[in-house]
Amino acid sequence: MLRDPTGLAIWCKRLAWLWLATEGILALSCIGEIYILGGLGSPPGTAEAIEDAADISALASLPYMLAYIVCGILVARWIHRINRNAHHWSDKMTVGPKWNVGWFFVPFANLWMPFAGIRQTRGATIDSENPDSVPVPDWMRLWWGFWLASTLLGNLTFRLSVAAKTPESLIAVDWLYVLSLVLDVPLTILLCRLLADISTLQSQRTAREADMSGAETSPPA
């Protein structure tokens, strides 16, 4: 059964921008912590000031993580929906709806398979007979590159944050959070383009098929 992904895509875009806004707040708190730790050429603050800065950063990370999780869930639902729609149109699909989401959680395979499923979904929406022949736009490859870079940097940042104890290591982790924001701005822009692109393609195809079906079933004048 076909389901229009447009409404879900709109909510995904809203949550993506909300997530980016919370990440901006987190990055600002990290810059403040860097300053207090003496990482911007300033004298290190008192132990109390350093503790307060760490508490602020920890507090800022809560809405960031919440927005990230909710946005991720919605985007996963959107990927599942568009893939299922593509299967309705094409029997050439090799990645199913559940696995198009599931591949994100499989080590090493998550470097390519989720993108392969989304690429095939877009191709099947345009050409159901030969989805793999549909060219992949450069911006779509760029989106996936930013996603991989952001994910790898996020994993590195988390691992280093667990072991960070000295002011120098804390400053390094804070700068990585700031760098994450730099990557996630174009990532969010390209994600929104992806959401709009495939949702529009599927909505247009559904509308065309509905018009054709109506024309075929309507009695002659």
Side-chain angles (χ1 to χ4, degrees):
M1 179 179 178
L2 290 173
R3 295 188 64 185
D4 191 340
T6 304
L8 186 55
I10 291 173
W11 278 105
C12 287
K13 287 188 281 187
R14 290 173 178 171
L15 264 295
W17 286 112
L18 177 62
W19 164 67
L20 189 64
T22 60
E23 187 176 16
I25 295 173
L26 176 60
L28 287 175
S29 70
C30 288
I31 292 175
E33 186 175 42
I34 291 170
Y35 180 82
I36 293 175
L37 290 169
L40 293 172
S42 60
T46 63
E48 183 179 356
I50 293 174
E51 184 177 350
D52 289 341
D55 290 341
I56 292 174
S57 295
L59 186 62
S61 68
L62 294 179
Y64 163 74
M65 289 303 302
L66 179 61
Y68 179 82
I69 292 171
V70 175
C71 182
I73 292 173
L74 287 183
V75 172
R77 288 185 59 193
W78 177 80
I79 291 173
H80 185 277
R81 182 172 298 181
I82 61 171
N83 186 288
R84 187 172 58 184
N85 287 345
H87 273 272
H88 173 83
W89 290 312
S90 175
D91 58 1
K92 304 296 193 298
M93 295 281 293
T94 59
V95 181
K98 292 181 179 180
W99 271 111
N100 205 165
V101 175
W103 282 123
F104 278 96
F105 305 96
V106 180
F108 300 110
N110 58 8
L111 298 175
W112 173 251
M113 287 303 298
F115 179 78
I118 295 172
R119 174 193 60 77
Q120 196 174 68
T121 293
R122 186 179 186 274
T125 303
I126 297 172
D127 183 357
S128 57
E129 294 301 320
N130 197 5
D132 292 328
S133 68
V134 177
V136 180
D138 291 338
W139 62 263
M140 195 167 163
R141 298 184 188 276
L142 193 61
W143 160 72
W144 186 246
F146 274 111
W147 164 255
L148 291 179
S150 177
T151 302
L152 292 173
L153 182 60
N155 290 335
L156 174 64
T157 303
F158 174 75
R159 292 177 184 275
L160 292 179
S161 66
V162 173
K165 303 298 181 183
T166 65
E168 292 77 13
S169 60
L170 291 170
I171 289 172
V173 170
D174 284 335
W175 278 123
L176 289 178
Y177 276 116
V178 175
L179 179 58
S180 295
L181 176 64
V182 175
L183 287 176
D184 289 341
V185 169
L187 171 62
T188 301
I189 294 172
L190 291 168
L191 172 62
C192 290
R193 182 170 182 176
L194 178 75
L195 291 162
D197 178 79
I198 299 181
S199 296
T200 299
L201 288 172
Q202 293 202 344
S203 295
Q204 290 174 346
R205 175 160 186 164
T206 302
R208 286 196 305 269
E209 292 181 351
D211 290 341
M212 292 174 60
S213 177
E216 292 174 356
T217 57
S218 59

